[in-house]
Amino acid sequence: MVETVKLHDKSFEIFIHQDRIAEAIKKMVNKVEEEVGDDNPIFIGVLNGSFLVVADFVRQYKYNCEVSFVKMASYVGTGTTGEVKTLLGINEELKGRTVVILEDIVDTGNTLEKLIELFADKELKALKIATLFYKPEAYKKSHSIDYVGMEIENKFIVGYGLDYDGWGRNLPHIYQLKE
Ligand code: IMP
Ligand code: MG
C-alpha cells in the first residue's frame, strides 16, 4: 500500500484503507435492504465521484433494483456560495418509485440540495439519501441524510472515486491532504 501520493502540487497521506470502505458500503447495503428491500428501488449515482460507490453498492444489493446516473458539477462563484449545475439530468419515469441517491461525499450540502430539487416534481413514492462519506462540520443544510457510511473530519480527501483536480479517482484507498 502506498503511504503518500502526490497529485498535481499537493501531497496526500493514507487515511482510510479499502477494507474499511468495503465495511462501510456493506453496512449501508444492509440498512437499505432492511428499509427499502424489494420495493424495486432505483439507485441514482451522482457522477463523477460516485461511480465506485454505485458499482460496489449495487453488486451487493440482493433484491431487484435499477441503476441510473445524474451528473452535477459545483462551481465556486464570484460570491461566497458555490453554484451547482446539472450537467446530466433524469430521463426515467419515476412516478410512484422509490429513489435512493448514492453519493460519494456530502460536504456543504449544496449538491444534495440541488439533487433534491431535481426530484421535487417527480411524484416519487419515497426519496432516500445515502452517502459513503459525510463531513458534519461542513454541512450547512437541514435535509436529513438517511444512510451514512462514515463521518469524517472536515479535511479534503481523494481516492475511491474522489478527485483533486481530476486526479486520484483511481486510488483504491482514501488519502487525506497533508498540511
Ligand atoms: P457539497 O459541498 O456537499 O456540494 O459537495 C460538492 C462536491 O464536492 C462533492 O460531491 C464532491 O464531488 C466534492 N467534494 C466535497 N468534499 C470533497 C473532498 O474532500 N474531496 C474531493 N471532493 C470533494
Ligand atoms: Mg459527488
Side-chain angles (χ1 to χ4, degrees):
M1 181 178 61
V2 186
E3 293 289 334
T4 305
V5 294
K6 185 139 194 285
L7 304 171
H8 304 292
D9 57 332
K10 298 200 190 308
S11 293
F12 296 81
E13 60 196 348
I14 185 76
F15 181 47
I16 302 167
H17 189 273
Q18 61 182 356
D19 293 348
R20 278 179 61 210
I21 300 172
E23 278 169 30
I25 297 268
K26 185 63 183 154
K27 185 182 85 177
M28 291 166 77
V29 169
N30 291 343
K31 266 267 159 146
V32 177
E33 279 175 351
E34 265 173 53
E35 291 187 25
V36 173
D38 203 6
D39 203 23
N40 185 26
I42 176 159
F43 293 109
I44 308 260
V46 187
L47 294 171
N48 292 325
S50 74
F51 70 106
L52 291 177
V53 175
V54 174
D56 286 344
F57 185 101
V58 299
R59 274 183 294 177
Q60 300 194 66
Y61 200 75
K62 67 183 175 193
Y63 302 107
N64 289 328
C65 60
E66 294 172 31
V67 183
S68 188
F69 289 91
V70 294
K71 184 166 184 170
M72 315 287 284
S74 48
Y75 294 94
V76 179
T78 48
T80 49
T81 53
E83 182 203 342
V84 183
K85 268 173 84 174
T86 305
L87 303 180
L88 182 70
I90 315 280
N91 301 305
E92 288 81 1
E93 169 60 54
L94 296 175
K95 191 173 175 183
R97 299 292 304 275
T98 295
V99 170
V100 182
I101 292 174
L102 293 180
E103 263 285 27
D104 48 351
I105 188 164
V106 174
D107 186 33
T108 62
N110 289 332
T111 305
L112 184 61
E113 187 164 77
K114 187 81 182 179
L115 274 166
I116 291 166
E117 273 172 33
L118 275 185
F119 295 97
D121 61 350
K122 302 283 187 231
E123 300 179 70
L124 305 182
K125 179 178 173 187
L127 177 64
K128 302 280 187 189
I129 316 292
T131 185
L132 174 58
F133 298 113
Y134 172 52
K135 294 178 180 171
E137 293 158 48
Y139 193 58
K140 293 186 307 205
K141 307 293 176 182
S142 54
H143 200 281
S144 67
I145 302 166
D146 302 280
Y147 310 102
V148 173
M150 230 184 269
E151 288 191 1
I152 57 167
E153 60 191 315
N154 191 10
K155 288 192 181 162
F156 192 79
I157 58 171
V158 293
Y160 193 72
L162 291 157
D163 71 305
Y164 167 52
D165 204 6
W167 286 10
R169 296 192 196 277
N170 56 318
L171 298 166
H173 313 287
I174 294 291
Y175 292 79
Q176 189 180 58
L177 181 62
K178 249 180 161 168
E179 280 163 310

